[in-house]
Amino acid sequence: MRCKSSANQNLKHKKGLWSPDEDQKLKDYIINHGLGCWTSVPINAGLQRNGKSCRLRWTNYLRPGLKRGTFTAHEEQIILSLHGMLGNKWSQMSQHLPGRSDNEIKNHWHSYLKKKFAKLQNIPPLGTLNKESSSSSSSSLKSTRTGSSIESTDVEPLDYSKVTGLRIPPKILFTDWLSLDQFQLFNNNNSDELSFSIDAFNHTCSSQETIINGGSYRSGIQEGSRVSNMQQSPECQNVEHDFYDLIFEEIIGPNFNINAL
DNA sequence: AACCGACCCAACCGCCACTCT
DNA sequence: GAGAGTGGCGGTTGGGTCGGT
């Protein structure tokens, strides 16, 4: 991981916005030499930047395959779902949104989705989970906020344990986030749709690489294997999208149109 | 036209984990 | 084992833009 540094620590590093010329230099260098030691990149590429700045510029702006422009409703739905489960794990979220950087997701959250999510958490009960508020059964989604003080504080990560009954944080699913515990939990919760979706995912995607911590789930996924969005078949991606829809319903409630906000 | 506040987004900062010497 | 260097991540900031007055 670590590379031998030949960086001149006394070099005065430039800060601020990147010029098109700097972008081109960085892009050319990485295309020709590949990703390696970031501290040597600015020196070899002839840039008066530090390695961190180069890495950030590459991952957030220059990297091939990045989408620019507004987030789609489905992307927002995925972010809301993942945020409910992961909290502010932007880099993990970005793995599930191909073409979106963690910084972009983070910015979008802070500037827009956070408010949308606050609204979602304040809406009257609509979904199955919210119905729980009037009954005594297992899972319910309640805002951790009290009273009317929403706007001055950050939207807290959804207490997923309240939704799922989990006592421990999620470990890994599809690529990284849904844990074996959640697999089992969803099954134990008689969540037929989710179980079906998981089965469908395993059936469709079991030949794909999948990271699973802590051993194999009941189907043939092996520990330590890996799946990434970029490698998934269209069928697999469809199943995953369906799964996000179901997670979204579990967290926010069904029959909810995110575009209505 | 000028001012002001809200918003957006690129980039920086600080911290932590990891690896190497 | 300790210290130093590096990469990665999340929080925060600052400048530009836009809309309202």
Side-chain angles (χ1 to χ4, degrees):
Chain A
M1 180 186 275
R2 183 184 163 188
C3 62
K4 289 188 171 66
S5 172
S6 56
N8 184 352
Q9 301 298 324
N10 298 322
L11 207 67
K12 189 76 179 175
H13 295 305
K14 188 182 169 187
K15 291 185 179 181
L17 294 179
W18 282 64
S19 68
D21 184 50
E22 287 177 306
D23 281 346
Q24 196 58 48
K25 280 183 180 175
L26 179 59
K27 208 190 298 183
D28 287 346
Y29 178 81
I30 291 176
I31 287 170
N32 290 328
H33 298 88
L35 293 172
C37 179
W38 283 110
T39 49
S40 66
V41 166
I43 300 160
N44 296 333
L47 293 163
Q48 290 184 317
R49 299 273 181 173
N50 63 24
K52 263 188 170 183
S53 183
C54 292
R55 183 179 63 81
L56 215 62
R57 185 64 178 171
W58 174 259
T59 55
N60 291 333
Y61 198 81
L62 298 174
R63 178 166 54 101
L66 277 177
K67 279 185 207 168
R68 313 297 302 175
T70 55
F71 282 72
T72 66
H74 191 258
E75 284 176 318
E76 290 184 349
Q77 185 173 321
I78 290 173
I79 293 169
L80 285 171
S81 300
L82 291 173
H83 190 272
M85 299 177 71
L86 298 170
N88 298 347
K89 301 294 181 185
W90 312 116
S91 63
Q92 288 183 43
M93 290 187 206
S94 70
Q95 294 171 20
H96 300 274
L97 292 161
R100 300 294 188 184
S101 69
D102 53 356
N103 207 37
E104 205 176 359
I105 295 169
K106 181 171 58 181
N107 280 334
H108 191 60
W109 173 266
H110 284 305
S111 62
Y112 180 65
L113 277 181
K114 188 166 71 175
K115 295 162 198 164
K116 190 176 256 191
F117 192 42
K119 275 188 177 181
L120 286 171
Q121 288 192 294
N122 276 344
I123 59 172
L126 283 175
T128 51
L129 291 170
N130 292 337
K131 275 189 279 183
E132 309 295 342
S133 60
S134 59
S135 71
S136 60
S137 60
S138 60
S139 58
S140 69
L141 174 61
K142 289 178 183 170
S143 170
T144 53
R145 274 182 243 97
T146 57
S148 58
S149 59
I150 317 161
E151 48 291 327
S152 61
T153 57
D154 262 8
V155 176
E156 304 206 354
L158 184 72
D159 186 351
Y160 198 71
S161 65
K162 289 179 184 172
V163 179
T164 65
L166 283 175
R167 290 196 193 88
I168 58 173
K171 290 187 291 200
I172 298 286
L173 184 59
F174 287 118
T175 53
D176 284 325
W177 49 274
L178 188 57
S179 72
L180 299 173
D181 309 270
Q182 287 169 259
F183 271 134
Q184 285 155 7
L185 169 100
F186 285 138
N187 289 332
N188 292 342
N189 272 1
N190 298 321
S191 178
D192 294 339
E193 280 187 316
L194 285 172
S195 297
F196 173 79
S197 182
I198 291 162
D199 285 339
F201 175 79
N202 285 336
H203 178 73
T204 312
C205 310
S206 60
S207 62
Q208 311 270 335
E209 284 185 285
T210 305
I211 289 181
I212 295 291
N213 284 346
S216 60
Y217 178 56
R218 55 198 164 86
S219 74
I221 299 174
Q222 297 300 313
E223 180 178 4
S225 56
R226 178 183 184 87
V227 64
S228 76
N229 284 335
M230 304 304 285
Q231 296 169 320
Q232 286 175 13
S233 65
E235 295 81 7
C236 186
Q237 286 180 15
N238 285 339
V239 172
E240 184 167 348
H241 284 178
D242 290 346
F243 191 86
Y244 284 124
D245 290 343
L246 288 167
I247 291 289
F248 186 77
E249 282 188 17
E250 283 292 312
I251 292 173
I252 304 301
N255 307 320
F256 196 87
N257 181 6
I258 194 169
N259 293 313
L261 287 172

